[in-house]
Amino acid sequence: MYSLYFPGQLPVQDNKLLKKDLFGEVWRVADDDGLAVLRDTRPARWWLAWLARNLLRRESRALAALTGIEGIPQLRSSDRHTLLRSYMPGVPLFEGRPQEALYFKAAARLLRQVHRAGVVHNDLAKEPNILLRDDGSPAFIDFQLAWYSRRRNRLFRSAAREDIRHLLKHKRTYRADLLTMRERAILKSPSPLSRAWMSLFKPVYLFLTRRILGWSDREGAADRGRSD
Ligand SMILES: Nc1ncnc2c1ncn2[C@@H]1O[C@H](COP(=O)(O)OP(=O)(O)O)[C@@H](O)[C@H]1O
Ligand SMILES: [Mg+2]
């Protein structure tokens, strides 16, 4: 079905390239149900195509599990190479710089809903993956690194806790005064998973993404990542 949504076949004025990297392209497109976001892995470099398709499948599985949750893009369709999800008008966190206590409350609630549905996001350290929507509410996008699991084993719970920590880091950035004692304690205690990541994998990850993939200025936003 993807030919229906191939950007080149839609009226040019309706389509906007949101992002392009070695994994492919992300387009905002218009379809019968309104604006949508198309992830297209066909332009990916050939040596990364298998990985791009794998990430797309991951996202598709996660979004399907999150159907109906307000603040999560709704999956419209997906196939081997493309994925279409609803567009949510808003700006990324680093641009919106939310100040409202309600925003952070709603974001925490949204994350609980995601976890309850059996999904961990795994990429909430990146500010572009969290939106301040035009109506003031939060949204999470970009589920390429997400895990979907029906059984919530230890690994799942540990990753869920990391999601929570990453969200709290953003709260600390914009409204540190709103952090509760409990939230401060969570911020101070990275999970063993996170510690292992930082000491073992992060150097390799940085080498790959910065030197090989050239992501150092990825999307122009600070990655408050996993540095503390
Ligand atoms: N559903 C959406 N609603 C609004 N904007 C979106 C949506 N999905 C993606 N975007 C925009 O497109 C950018 C890239 O999409 P994303 O899914 O994060 O791809 P990538 O995995 O390559 O970072 C996002 O940072 C955001 O600005
Ligand atoms: Mg992203």
Side-chain angles (χ1 to χ4, degrees):
M1 53 72 48
Y2 64 69
S3 58
L4 197 61
Y5 298 109
F6 186 62
Q9 294 182 345
L10 287 159
V12 175
Q13 66 271 23
D14 287 342
N15 301 330
K16 187 177 166 218
L17 183 65
L18 297 174
K19 188 178 167 185
K20 181 181 172 66
D21 61 19
L22 300 181
F23 288 98
E25 296 172 354
V26 178
W27 288 82
R28 195 189 70 195
V29 300
D31 73 358
D32 294 343
D33 299 324
L35 288 177
V37 178
L38 175 83
R39 186 186 298 287
D40 189 351
T41 63
R42 285 167 298 174
R45 294 291 158 83
W46 64 267
W47 52 278
L48 277 175
W50 63 275
L51 183 58
R53 285 198 298 267
N54 194 289
L55 295 174
L56 183 116
R57 227 178 6 252
R58 227 166 228 287
E59 182 164 47
S60 166
R61 214 178 304 137
L63 291 182
L66 299 175
T67 301
I69 299 182
E70 179 65 29
I72 302 296
Q74 296 301 294
L75 183 65
R76 298 251 176 96
S77 62
S78 81
D79 63 18
R80 224 163 96 79
H81 302 280
T82 64
L83 185 156
L84 193 71
R85 65 238 206 238
S86 61
Y87 178 80
M88 293 182 294
V91 289
L93 208 58
F94 63 89
E95 218 179 296
R97 310 188 62 79
Q99 300 295 315
E100 301 288 330
L102 259 181
Y103 176 88
F104 296 100
K105 254 203 165 101
R109 193 186 329 124
L110 181 58
L111 189 55
R112 280 196 299 275
Q113 284 179 283
V114 168
H115 289 163
R116 230 177 287 133
V119 174
V120 279
H121 186 286
N122 286 329
D123 207 14
L124 288 180
K126 294 214 173 67
E127 295 206 22
N129 292 339
I130 304 176
L131 303 183
L132 168 61
R133 293 202 288 171
D134 288 351
D135 66 1
S137 67
F140 302 145
I141 58 172
D142 194 354
F143 285 77
Q144 290 200 104
L145 297 180
W147 293 342
Y148 168 64
S149 155
R150 254 179 290 241
R151 289 169 298 128
R152 276 166 239 202
N153 56 18
R154 259 186 74 197
L155 199 62
F156 182 94
R157 292 197 305 272
S158 176
R161 192 182 155 89
E162 284 305 289
D163 274 355
I164 294 170
R165 274 186 69 242
H166 287 136
L167 197 59
L168 288 176
K169 283 188 193 181
H170 301 308
K171 186 173 179 181
R172 182 174 64 191
T173 301
Y174 297 108
R175 282 300 302 270
D177 59 306
L178 291 177
L179 289 169
T180 63
M181 295 290 275
R182 195 173 154 264
E183 290 173 340
R184 285 176 199 278
I186 294 174
L187 276 168
K188 280 203 204 109
S189 57
S191 68
L193 185 76
S194 164
R195 277 194 221 121
W197 159 264
M198 284 189 289
S199 60
L200 293 171
F201 298 111
K202 195 169 184 189
V204 180
Y205 172 82
L206 288 181
F207 175 77
L208 277 175
T209 54
R210 305 234 158 123
R211 296 286 172 80
I212 313 240
L213 299 176
W215 275 354
S216 55
D217 299 313
R218 206 178 175 213
E219 301 174 272
D223 176 358
R224 246 170 275 293
R226 308 174 186 239
S227 53
D228 64 351

